[in-house]
């Protein structure tokens, strides 16, 4: 029986999401006859963790659904065992990259990848805590319908399970590496208030993540496409297209990845950086691996802490670090795009050493563009005034540290790619008997 991992990483209260994702897991078993490991990676505070434990305990028992609710202590114990088994140098550094003290969107998903390997899963299906499923005729619209129909299948075989097939026949023998959709509702990045306050400033703030050499037309196009997902149109009928994946229309709250991708290259483990979990989108596309882009979009909403007090400050700093990360990621993306299918070996598997080499060389990129990004962000936020001007005051003395961290993040990514193969193999050999269920 095929085993798959449906995972929900969270650091906030989301008992309702746990209930909903439990229903998706049960649907997957009924519909596809798979075994589903429902993996809740819980970094929430003790009070919210208790609510999550109650939600997990209340899930109806379903044969074929195995639920794992792991707090950070349980995650750390598993990681320490796998790292020690791998025999890799610098075990404490590796543990820190896998489970840092700060928020890391890439690291939490990397933990799911290693646990999925330990559980014998062939794919990982990720959802987020601040999302809900759409309804059609009162029933939830589960993305896993398209994911399990095609993920890992040879593209030529997957063609029968989609509504549209535009893939170049040259890729027909390659496996479907990524299946995903987007979201409807609020912007995926919490900048909507800036747009309401001053659309010109919104343009300037979002355009900062464009490549330094981008033209004004390219920046306008980027701003128009950024963070909007699938808009607001609700689901009425299925649409799924087999091609190279439309990575602008696939979000990490609504994605499935084949193990041949995530077991070979991890996500950047950058801390306090939004968007750090989207690297594999680019890798799959640039390596010419097939994907399915469908329209079972998830409903996105915001949790209140992003918009007030320390939560607002933390989120805006994560956006600033996202902007700085692009200085190092764009050169990697460019090299991957030029490399194309040479990123793959003769069995259509990603060659991780090529990606690690790109990341290492990218770390030497001149920082001038990042100095400009921070100066422009400061100007924009001071023009907005109020809490945004206060954030500019907060950010100013931290610029040097953020610049250093952005460079260190790409160096850590290269280090983790080098270690990833041994970590995956060690995870497969690490017992999961003590994982909480």
């Amino acid at each position: 029986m095929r085993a798959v991992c449906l995972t929900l990483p969270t650091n906030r209260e989301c008992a309702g999401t746990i209930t909903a994702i439990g229903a998706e897991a049960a649907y997957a078993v009924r519909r596809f006859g798979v075994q589903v490991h429902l993996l809740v990676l819980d970094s929430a505070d003790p009070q919210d963790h208790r609510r999550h434990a109650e939600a997990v305990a209340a899930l109806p028992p379903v044969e074929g659904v195995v639920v794992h609710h792991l707090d950070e202590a349980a995650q750390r114990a598993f990681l320490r065992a796998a790292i020690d088994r791998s025999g890799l140098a610098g075990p404490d550094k590796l543990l820190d990259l896998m489970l840092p003290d700060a928020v890391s969107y890439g690291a939490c998903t990397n933990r799911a990848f290693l646990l999925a390997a330990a559980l014998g899963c062939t794919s990982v299906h990720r959802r987020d805590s601040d999302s809900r499923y759409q309804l059609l005729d009162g029933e939830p619209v589960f993305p896993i319908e398209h994911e399990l129909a095609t993920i890992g299948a040879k593209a030529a075989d997957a063609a029968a399970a989609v509504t549209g097939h535009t893939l170049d026949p040259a890729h027909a023998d390659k496996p479907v590496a990524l299946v995903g959709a987007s979201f409807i509702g609020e912007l995926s990045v919490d900048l909507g208030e800036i747009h309401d306050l001053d659309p010109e400033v919104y343009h300037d703030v979002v355009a900062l993540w464009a490549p330094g050499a981008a033209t004004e037309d390219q920046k306008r196009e980027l701003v128009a496409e950024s963070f909007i997902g699938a808009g607001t149109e609700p689901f009425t009928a299925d649409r799924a297209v087999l091609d190279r994946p439309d990575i602008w229309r696939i979000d990490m709250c609504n994605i499935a990845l084949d193990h041949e991708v995530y077991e070979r290259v991890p996500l950047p483990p950058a801390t306090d950086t939004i968007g750090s979990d989207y690297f594999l989108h680019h890798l799959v596309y640039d390596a010419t691996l097939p994907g399915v882009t469908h329209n079972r979009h998830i409903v996105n909403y915001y949790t209140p802490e992003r918009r007030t007090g320390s939560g607002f400050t933390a989120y805006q700093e994560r956006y600033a670090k996202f902007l700085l990360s692009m200085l190092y990621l764009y050169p990697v993306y460019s090299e991957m795009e030029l490399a194309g299918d040479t990123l793959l070996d003769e069995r259509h598997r990603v060659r991780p050493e090529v990606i690690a080499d790109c990341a290492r060389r990218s770390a030497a990129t001149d920082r001038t563009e990042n100095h400009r990004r921070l100066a422009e962000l400061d100007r924009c936020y001071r023009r907005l005034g109020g809490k945004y001007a206060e954030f500019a005051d907060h950010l100013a003395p931290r610029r040097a540290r953020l610049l250093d961290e952005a460079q260190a993040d790409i160096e850590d990514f290269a280090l983790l790619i080098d270690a990833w193969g041994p970590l995956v193999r060690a995870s497969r050999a690490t017992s999961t008997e003590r994982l909480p269920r």
Side-chain angles (χ1 to χ4, degrees):
M1 179 184 294
R2 175 168 54 147
V4 302
C5 176
L6 178 58
T7 188
L8 175 68
T10 184
N11 64 352
R12 60 172 69 94
E13 197 283 321
C14 63
T17 306
I18 290 172
T19 302
I21 200 173
E24 185 173 26
Y27 173 86
V29 170
R30 293 194 306 270
R31 176 73 174 83
F32 294 97
V34 296
Q35 181 182 53
V36 178
H37 288 276
L38 176 51
L39 178 64
V40 181
L41 298 179
D42 198 341
S43 296
D45 63 38
Q47 182 177 4
D48 289 338
H49 182 272
R50 284 193 295 273
R51 293 193 184 101
H52 297 164
E54 292 168 359
V56 167
L59 291 175
V62 175
E63 186 176 356
V65 176
V66 184
V67 184
H68 312 272
H69 180 206
L70 278 64
D71 62 14
E72 287 203 348
Q75 295 174 53
R76 184 175 291 106
F78 168 80
L79 292 168
R80 174 59 77 185
I83 290 168
D84 289 348
R85 181 182 291 273
S86 75
L88 289 162
D92 291 340
K93 172 69 172 179
L94 289 172
L95 183 60
D96 186 55
L97 293 181
M98 292 300 302
L99 187 58
D101 290 335
V103 170
S104 174
Y105 301 97
C108 71
T109 312
N110 285 339
R111 297 196 292 276
F113 292 158
L114 291 188
L115 282 156
L119 293 165
C121 298
T122 59
S123 55
V124 165
H125 309 250
R126 191 183 120 167
R127 308 292 181 254
D128 277 356
S129 57
D130 50 356
S131 55
R132 301 185 179 96
Y133 300 105
Q134 293 191 71
L135 298 177
L136 180 66
D137 298 330
E139 295 297 321
V141 179
F142 292 130
I144 209 160
E145 169 71 26
H146 291 300
E147 293 171 348
L148 289 179
T150 54
I151 193 70
K154 189 166 73 170
D157 298 331
V162 296
T163 61
H165 179 1
T166 54
L167 185 71
D168 187 323
H171 307 307
D173 287 335
K174 297 175 182 175
V176 174
L178 184 158
V179 180
S182 188
F183 61 89
I184 62 171
E186 299 180 275
L187 299 177
S188 60
V189 174
D190 198 350
L191 300 177
E193 184 181 57
I194 296 178
H195 185 275
D196 294 341
L197 290 169
D198 191 327
E200 289 184 3
V201 169
Y202 175 82
H203 172 277
D204 293 345
V205 167
V206 175
L208 286 173
W209 82 281
T215 66
E216 288 304 313
D217 285 345
Q218 289 171 330
K219 289 178 182 178
R220 278 192 292 272
E221 183 178 355
L222 179 76
V223 172
E225 292 289 331
S226 293
F227 315 134
I228 61 172
T232 58
E233 183 179 350
F235 177 87
T236 56
D238 277 304
R239 185 177 65 256
V241 178
L242 174 65
D243 201 338
R244 292 169 70 187
D246 184 355
I247 61 176
W248 281 90
R249 294 292 178 262
I250 295 175
D251 286 84
M252 282 301 289
C253 65
N254 193 352
I255 194 170
L257 287 157
D258 183 59
H259 73 105
E260 290 287 11
V261 175
Y262 64 75
E263 288 185 355
R264 299 182 73 78
V265 177
L267 291 165
T271 56
D272 295 318
T273 306
I274 65 168
S276 58
D277 46 353
Y278 281 75
F279 185 84
L280 295 181
H281 288 60
H282 295 268
L283 177 56
V284 167
Y285 183 85
D286 291 334
T288 69
L289 288 167
V292 171
T293 307
H294 63 86
N295 68 332
R296 291 192 169 216
H297 306 305
I298 276 173
V299 181
N300 182 55
Y301 66 92
Y302 292 142
T303 47
E305 78 276 1
R306 289 184 180 184
R307 293 177 170 172
T308 57
S310 60
F312 171 82
T313 300
Y315 191 84
Q316 296 300 320
E317 190 167 316
R318 290 170 199 162
Y319 181 73
K321 277 202 68 181
F322 160 70
L323 299 177
L324 299 180
S325 73
M326 301 316 299
L327 179 73
Y328 303 103
L329 289 173
Y330 276 131
V332 181
Y333 295 159
S334 295
E335 289 196 34
M336 292 195 307
E337 184 178 10
L338 288 172
D341 62 5
T342 66
L343 293 170
L344 306 177
D345 64 18
E346 67 282 356
R347 295 171 58 188
H348 309 308
R349 299 178 308 180
V350 175
R351 297 163 57 208
E353 66 279 2
V354 178
I355 313 303
D357 185 54
C358 290
R360 267 189 294 273
R361 283 185 280 104
S362 176
T365 305
D366 182 83
R367 293 183 177 186
T368 300
E369 179 62 23
N370 269 356
H371 285 282
R372 183 195 70 81
R373 283 188 171 106
L374 286 175
E376 179 68 2
L377 195 63
D378 182 270
R379 179 193 68 78
C380 288
Y381 281 11
R382 293 191 188 283
R383 174 170 163 173
L384 290 170
K387 64 182 180 180
Y388 292 96
E390 292 175 5
F391 175 73
D393 289 337
H394 165 86
L395 197 62
R398 292 166 172 79
R399 288 188 187 184
R401 173 178 62 81
L402 296 178
L403 290 165
D404 288 343
E405 286 181 2
Q407 180 177 343
D409 286 341
I410 198 71
E411 293 168 344
D412 287 342
F413 184 34
L415 186 155
L416 188 60
I417 298 171
D418 287 338
W420 195 244
L423 280 177
V424 169
R425 290 190 293 274
S427 295
R428 288 198 198 107
T430 298
S431 173
T432 60
E433 291 182 0
R434 294 185 181 179
L435 291 182
R437 296 190 178 186

